[in-house]
Amino acid sequence: MLNNLTECEEGDGGPNSQGDATSKESSPFINSSTSDVEKSQQYDGKNMALFEEEMDTSPMVSSLLSSLANYSNLTQGSKEHEEAENNEEARKKTVQAPRMGTIMGVYLPCLQNILGVILFLRMTWLVGAGGVLGTFTIVFMCCSTTMLTAISMSAIATNGVVPAGGSYYMISRSLGPEFGGAVGICFYLGTTFAGAMYILGCIEILLIYIVPAAAIFKMEGLEGAEAEAALLNNMRVYGTIVLSFMALVVFVGVKYVNKLALVFLACVILSILAVYAGVIKTSFDPPDFPVCVLGNRTLVSKGFDICAKTIERGNATVTTKLWRAFCDSEFLNATCDEYFTNNNISQIQGIPGITSGILAENLFSTFMEKNSMLEKRGIPAVLDPEAPDTNTNRYVLADITSFFTLLVGIYFPSVTGIMAGSNRSGDLQDAQKSIPIGTILAITTTSFIYMSSVILFGACVDGVVLRDKFGEGVNGNLVIGTLAWPSPWVIVFGSFFSTCGAGLQSLTGAPRLLQAIARDGIIPFLRVFGHGKANGEPTWALLLTACICEIGILIASLDAVAPILSMFFLMCYMFVNLACALQTLLRTPNWRPRFKFYHWALSLLGMSLCLTLMFLCSWYYAIVAMVIASCIYKYIEFCGAEKEWGDGIRGISLSAARYALMRLEEGPPHTKNWRPQILVLMSLDAEQNVEQPRLLSLTSQLKAGKGLTIVGACVEGTYLNNQPQAQKGDQSLRKLMEVEKVKGFSQVVISSNLRDATSHLIQAGGLGGLHHNTVLVSFPRNWKQAEEHHRCRNFIEVVRETTAAHLALLVPKNISAYPSNGERFTEGHIDVWWIVHDGGMLMLLPFLLRHHKVWRKCKMRIFTVAQMDDNSIQMKKDLMTFLYHLRFDAEVEVVEMHESDISAYTYEKTLVMEQRSQILKEMHLTKNEREREIQSITDVSRGSIRRKNPSNLHPQRSIAEESVGGSGEEKSEEESVRLSRPRQVQLIQGKNATPTPTSPTSPTAPTPAAVSPGEEVQMTWTDNTEKPNNPAVANPESIKDMFNMKPEWENLNHSNVRRMHHAQKLNEVIVKKSQEAKLVLLNMPGPPKNCTGEENYMEFLEVLTEGLNRVLLVRGGGREVITIYS
């Protein structure tokens, strides 16, 4: 938590600060770069020769301690603003550490912010409505909440240096930028609405108790809703005027607000002392505040001068103003209000005194409905239940419906303000000592004042006066003022100046809080509010604060605004407690607060109280506040600047990850929870760029952001020499993952050869129980070329290793033809060729793909192969039942494959395959030996061609072999060539000839070419014209003749011939059924157990997938991945 002086001045208060220049906390002991000469001079003679090369990163202890001693975290606060206005050079001077102690720096500011408008304007009404017991419960809950929050805040504030920013800084550095930004905005909104509440309280005191005649909208003669609307309109007009004036004062200079702060605080203290003095006086000399009651209803005192119906004047009985208010004339025979006629007028003492025993009457709650009449307990009244109420404007009426939770929401703002000390941490001489002592002492003092006030008000003042919110029954006096000594005006003017000062403080503090958030750069759209005047005054933030404050002014009701700011403050306090609890439970090494009187249980209790009070105050306001905080949280998460502040949420993530990994170690996941956790094997070019980006597109379409994805790549070399290339490759992978929206991890492994590096990735990928269960690798391109032979061998080794490790394997062929994430298929099919059961991978993959928008409109088709002795009709029924239980929606087709003789084409294909294998074996011989081997193989091939019968050669075909040693690029696998097109075949000796690719649409029977490079050999055979799709000779007699003509076929490996025959036959069926499919999924045959048949294996795969545009070869991991059970 160390910031050097320069960054602190710029980052927290400087005029050109941007806050988001770096995501790391700076350190005061990072040396600036110096030249070698300066370095040698600097450390010469200091016995540091052994360490001088590391001085840039590991400074001497003396320089470290010197930097720490000169370090100051003072931001450009109130003192700097004053200096900046008085002296233009102030910003260039080094800021001196201020000298403010616990009392002036923390205790008195907290007192001023906690004691305020609610105490003077609403506390008596709260006691009257909620009763002494109910109100004491509310006060105790709220004060307990703030005390527990103060304990948590003290622990956080003493855990290192806390620059100005108060709760926002503490929460953001403890819970991370997301929580910090959300709570910071909530705290800002709470402070802003607090300013509106103070201004409304100021206007209420002005218009009701000081100069009622100043009202623009007159309320005399108005009743009910009209009178209420007139009062609210007056509040709006005067509130806007006062808000504008206060904003102008704050804009002109904060120094005026700071200089008046002590005056406002003195007004608060004098007012409270006057109340206590009045309470003491009531014990021996209660004040005379009569309240006039008709029956048991309290009368508004402004409508009459004498509390009587008639008076004796001389020998005559004369009616009073009160009579004329309820009767149609002043004469005794006038028609009067029925309730007025049936009930007597009585006068009670509004403040009977502390010794009167009125406490028992005020002990319990008296909640009232809106517009109900204020009634005195214990006085009988004659009332006709069926008679309508008349002359209601003559009685004191309840302006709102009161209930317990409403009282909680209205009262809670009176205990806010506990952050005033931590907000001034930059101005304190010893913040780690002053903040806990001053804050807890201030809360203790104010809690005593509030709790004693509840009891004293209930013991001194009559219930009807307590419930008279605006003092209408006591000549329009402020109710708490009637109790004060020596005069009610002490309270009136004291509370007026107190509310004015609190409003100015809110308008001063809120813009600076917003400016601090904006300069941190975590909320991009707020960055404009980080700018201000030349001296750092937050001009734009002040303008926004005034606009939001005006919203509260337009609400116009103090009772309606109070619950709003209660929500935001409670949200802030809740996260302060959460931050302390998390840091304590996680036991992070940096959590070493000097304040030792904290415990995680107290923090959790405080957090629970905050949450309870939020919903007690107003459940719908609580939900709105949480939605606002959640929206800000998600906005920062997706759009905000990334910050690394060592926050507790990161610690939670680590602890949760460790716990989850340990749980995963208990056993493999159940089949219902199985999903492909993919290791993607990517290849990098010489510039460390990704060669096949479409692999990640396919990964994104398979995963849709779920599960584990590890994107691995290999770099050949040693770790010390090739680390920069590995880092560059890792950056390329991360950038591509971000583009393709693949959520996962990248890993680049350095090894002496690519084969070992790939093996290391497969073995060591993941951590503990969270490891991959599926490997995705692309089918090797140009595998028939000699220089690509190592890739072919690596691929086969990957197949072997995944089989041995019981990992599933996905091999997309022709990956460049796969769709990107931006493409959309509006129709088409995903065809699954289910040849052997692999645990259900073949059926699960299309289901996962169709969750992605690229494949969403494709339909799924499942083909399975029936042998001669299978009942294909029953197989189809069983498969449809199986898919129904699996909840898969797919078309089903059973393909019958009949036994057939092995064609001449298959023999020729197998012959050339084995010849190629032999040639590749000889690649490691000397050049002369290699030439002799190729010559002998070619001669044998020519002999077999010459022995063919020319009379049967129609239609003519050219059989070509793809280059074995060429250096050219292989053409795309989608290219179609007609069956009758002649194809050239070359067996290349050396590396100078150009290869000719094989057409994928028809089976090929390549033969070796001439001895010298470039020599071409054509071979043809007779094909059955009635079956153009079958390149083999279907006539058994013809096949027999060919056996007679080609004795070298008899020397072929019959296992290879059989495999080639089945691959070719299966390919014919797949091409016939699925050539138009958008994707074909196919069981991948197992690899050879030894190294002798590796090239043959690749040839089998090539024949099996020939003529198909997009093929995904799939091997299961040896376990079931789908289940019919729920």
Side-chain angles (χ1 to χ4, degrees), residues 674-693:
W674 193 96
R675 65 169 63 246
Q677 318 287 8
I678 299 180
L679 168 64
V680 187
L681 297 179
M682 306 290 292
S683 56
L684 303 174
D685 59 17
E687 299 298 323
Q688 307 306 320
N689 296 319
V690 179
E691 286 188 338
Q692 296 171 326

Side-chain angles (χ1 to χ4, degrees), residues 198-453:
Y198 292 131
I199 292 173
L200 290 174
C202 172
I203 302 304
E204 184 176 309
I205 295 171
L206 181 70
L207 292 182
I208 296 179
Y209 305 115
I210 299 180
V211 280
I216 298 174
F217 300 90
K218 302 299 180 183
M219 292 180 285
E220 284 79 4
L222 300 179
E223 297 183 14
E226 294 180 351
E228 182 181 0
L231 175 62
L232 295 181
N233 288 331
N234 284 323
M235 302 282 279
R236 293 185 180 106
V237 173
Y238 278 100
T240 304
I241 295 172
V242 172
L243 172 63
S244 303
F245 175 73
M246 287 185 175
L248 183 62
V249 170
V250 173
F251 176 77
V252 169
V254 183
K255 60 181 181 180
Y256 302 112
V257 179
N258 295 326
K259 289 178 178 178
L260 291 173
L262 287 177
V263 177
F264 296 143
L265 179 59
C267 292
V268 174
I269 294 175
L270 285 175
S271 300
I272 293 173
L273 291 177
V275 172
Y276 279 111
V279 169
I280 295 172
K281 183 175 179 294
T282 60
S283 62
F284 56 87
D285 184 19
D288 184 25
F289 273 100
V291 178
C292 194
V293 179
L294 173 61
N296 62 355
R297 297 176 179 176
T298 308
L299 296 172
V300 176
S301 59
K302 290 184 179 179
F304 57 90
D305 52 352
I306 299 174
C307 184
K309 294 182 181 180
T310 58
I311 58 173
E312 298 293 332
R313 184 171 295 169
N315 295 326
T317 301
V318 181
T319 58
T320 61
K321 287 185 179 181
L322 192 59
W323 177 281
R324 293 191 287 272
F326 285 92
C327 300
D328 56 2
S329 70
E330 61 182 3
F331 302 108
L332 292 173
N333 60 352
T335 303
C336 296
D337 181 85
E338 183 178 354
Y339 187 84
F340 179 79
T341 304
N342 296 336
N343 291 277
N344 295 323
I345 296 281
S346 59
Q347 196 173 41
I348 63 173
Q349 190 62 34
I351 303 178
I354 196 171
T355 58
S356 63
I358 199 71
L359 179 63
E361 183 181 322
N362 294 330
L363 210 54
F364 301 101
S365 61
T366 307
F367 297 120
M368 302 176 66
E369 296 290 332
K370 185 176 181 179
N371 294 324
S372 61
M373 299 172 191
L374 198 61
E375 298 178 348
K376 167 67 176 173
R377 291 178 181 173
I379 298 180
V382 180
L383 176 64
D384 184 1
E386 298 180 357
D389 292 329
T390 55
N391 294 304
T392 54
N393 61 325
R394 307 298 180 189
Y395 305 108
V396 179
L397 305 177
D399 64 326
I400 59 172
T401 300
S402 57
F403 42 90
F404 182 80
T405 56
L406 174 74
L407 304 188
V408 176
I410 292 175
Y411 172 74
F412 187 81
S414 65
V415 297
T416 59
I418 63 173
M419 300 290 184
S422 62
N423 289 347
R424 295 170 178 238
S425 58
D427 301 328
L428 300 175
Q429 184 176 359
D430 187 355
Q432 297 192 11
K433 176 183 177 182
S434 297
I435 289 177
I437 296 175
T439 305
I440 293 175
L441 191 60
I443 293 175
T444 304
T445 305
T446 54
S447 299
F448 171 77
I449 291 173
Y450 284 129
M451 292 179 184
S452 61
S453 297

Side-chain angles (χ1 to χ4, degrees), residues 734-763:
R734 289 178 182 273
K735 188 178 298 183
L736 185 60
M737 289 170 67
E738 185 177 349
V739 171
E740 298 292 345
K741 298 180 179 178
V742 174
K743 296 181 179 179
F745 311 99
S746 61
Q747 186 173 0
V748 178
V749 174
I750 305 174
S751 184
S752 57
N753 60 78
L754 297 180
R755 172 69 243 128
D756 289 345
T758 305
S759 180
H760 295 160
L761 274 174
I762 295 175
Q763 293 178 60

Side-chain angles (χ1 to χ4, degrees), residues 652-829:
I652 289 180
S653 301
L654 292 174
S655 297
R658 182 185 63 85
Y659 175 77
L661 287 172
M662 298 301 293
R663 287 293 303 272
L664 288 176
E665 283 289 305
E666 296 175 3
H670 192 273
T671 303
K672 291 184 287 188
N673 296 326
W674 193 96
R675 65 169 63 246
Q677 318 287 8
I678 299 180
L679 168 64
V680 187
L681 297 179
M682 306 290 292
S683 56
L684 303 174
D685 59 17
E687 299 298 323
Q688 307 306 320
N689 296 319
V690 179
E691 286 188 338
Q692 296 171 326
R694 287 294 169 86
L695 265 180
L696 284 186
S697 300
L698 177 62
T699 305
S700 175
Q701 294 158 21
L702 272 172
K703 301 294 292 182
K706 307 297 183 185
L708 173 70
T709 303
I710 302 174
V711 182
C714 306
V715 174
E716 192 170 2
T718 62
Y719 185 78
L720 294 179
N721 297 332
N722 297 90
Q723 188 182 8
Q725 291 91 320
Q727 291 177 345
K728 184 178 179 182
D730 189 65
Q731 292 176 358
S732 300
L733 291 179
R734 289 178 182 273
K735 188 178 298 183
L736 185 60
M737 289 170 67
E738 185 177 349
V739 171
E740 298 292 345
K741 298 180 179 178
V742 174
K743 296 181 179 179
F745 311 99
S746 61
Q747 186 173 0
V748 178
V749 174
I750 305 174
S751 184
S752 57
N753 60 78
L754 297 180
R755 172 69 243 128
D756 289 345
T758 305
S759 180
H760 295 160
L761 274 174
I762 295 175
Q763 293 178 60
L767 180 63
L770 188 65
H771 57 80
H772 55 274
N773 55 28
T774 305
V775 176
L776 175 63
V777 59
S778 178
F779 194 85
R781 296 179 300 173
N782 310 332
W783 62 270
K784 296 180 183 180
Q785 298 179 11
E787 63 268 19
E788 298 293 329
H789 182 58
H790 68 283
R791 293 199 178 191
C792 171
R793 292 187 63 100
N794 286 350
F795 172 76
I796 296 175
E797 286 299 315
V798 168
V799 179
R800 284 198 179 104
E801 289 181 2
T802 53
T803 303
H806 302 290
L807 300 176
L809 179 64
L810 307 180
V811 182
K813 188 180 179 189
N814 192 19
I815 187 62
S816 59
Y818 278 66
S820 66
N821 288 332
E823 297 180 40
R824 303 287 184 276
F825 288 135
T826 57
E827 58 182 1
H829 295 91

